[in-house]
Amino acid sequence: MTEKEYQQQLEELRHQVEVLQKANIDLMNRNIQLGQHVDAYYDVRRRIQMLKELVIRHKELIKHADLRDDAELMALIETRLEQELPHENPDFGLKELAEFIGTSQTRIIDLFRRSIVHKNVDDYLDYLRLLRSMYYIQSKPQWGIAACAQQAGFSVIRTFNRKFQDALGMTPHEFRMIIESNQNNETK
């Protein structure tokens, strides 16, 4: 082998070494990226597992909420509804009540089935809405009857008038007249 051939081979080998070094650096960078992806993958799996555990704990809390005795659950319902008035929304019903209280719909249904006064959630919510409408009729004389009914959570005025008549034996207008008459007598 001549000196020139030797130099050419040496140059080719140096070139191949440079190519291999660049390929090695590219592989190391790729390994780092893959390592980061694997870390991210395991981080996502860890978060998913944490969420699953939170869901399981939430289900356990709901089960324990269902174990409350009827009086305690009813007191909780009355207190929360009185404080926050979600029933003034006409769309507030069984499903929303169960979510609001943090118990199952079945537990709420069973509670009202055993109730002496209200046999179902709709009757109970209508009762609360009637009480609220009476409050508005008395305290907001500048409002019309329909406005009082809507503010209390009734979406249909005809239904409100019928339920009011059934519950009190008088129309909302007659009720307002009695209130105004009593207020006039008190001021004299």
Side-chain angles (χ1 to χ4, degrees), residues 159-174:
T159 303
F160 165 70
N161 285 330
R162 180 179 45 79
K163 290 185 184 261
F164 198 99
Q165 177 80 37
D166 291 346
L168 294 167
M170 67 180 81
T171 67
H173 181 70
E174 291 170 338

Side-chain angles (χ1 to χ4, degrees), residues 133-146:
S133 70
M134 291 168 61
Y135 166 77
Y136 289 132
I137 290 169
Q138 183 176 4
S139 65
K140 307 284 186 187
Q142 68 277 17
W143 289 8
I145 298 294

Side-chain angles (χ1 to χ4, degrees), residues 54-156:
L54 286 173
V55 167
I56 289 169
R57 277 191 228 141
H58 180 69
K59 286 181 181 178
E60 286 299 314
L61 286 174
I62 287 175
K63 284 181 188 174
H64 292 299
D66 286 351
L67 296 177
R68 291 186 188 120
D69 71 2
D70 285 357
E72 182 182 339
L73 183 58
M74 195 63 198
L76 175 67
I77 290 170
E78 289 172 350
T79 302
R80 295 276 317 273
L81 291 178
E82 186 177 308
Q83 290 173 349
E84 300 177 41
L85 304 174
H87 54 283
E88 287 189 353
N89 176 348
D91 297 327
F92 189 82
L94 171 63
K95 178 183 175 212
E96 293 77 16
L97 178 61
E99 289 172 3
F100 183 71
I101 297 301
T103 192
S104 68
Q105 291 181 37
T106 305
R107 177 66 174 102
I108 299 285
I109 290 169
D110 290 343
L111 171 71
F112 281 96
R113 260 193 209 130
R114 289 188 293 273
S115 172
I116 296 170
V117 179
H118 306 287
K119 290 299 177 192
N120 61 52
V121 174
D122 291 334
D123 286 348
Y124 177 66
L125 293 175
D126 283 344
Y127 165 76
L128 293 176
R129 289 175 178 134
L130 282 172
L131 289 176
R132 201 71 188 156
S133 70
M134 291 168 61
Y135 166 77
Y136 289 132
I137 290 169
Q138 183 176 4
S139 65
K140 307 284 186 187
Q142 68 277 17
W143 289 8
I145 298 294
C148 294
Q150 286 176 334
Q151 185 63 37
F154 285 98
S155 57
V156 179

Side-chain angles (χ1 to χ4, degrees), residues 14-32:
R14 282 184 185 153
H15 179 68
Q16 288 177 354
V17 166
E18 284 178 24
V19 168
L20 289 174
Q21 284 177 335
K22 286 181 183 177
N24 190 28
I25 289 171
D26 289 343
L27 286 173
M28 287 178 9
N29 286 335
R30 181 72 179 141
N31 276 346
I32 290 170

Side-chain angles (χ1 to χ4, degrees), residues 40-56:
Y41 169 78
Y42 282 112
D43 186 52
V44 167
R45 289 199 55 181
R46 181 183 57 80
R47 289 178 186 206
I48 288 171
Q49 185 60 37
M50 287 173 48
L51 287 173
K52 284 180 181 177
E53 290 172 8
L54 286 173
V55 167
I56 289 169

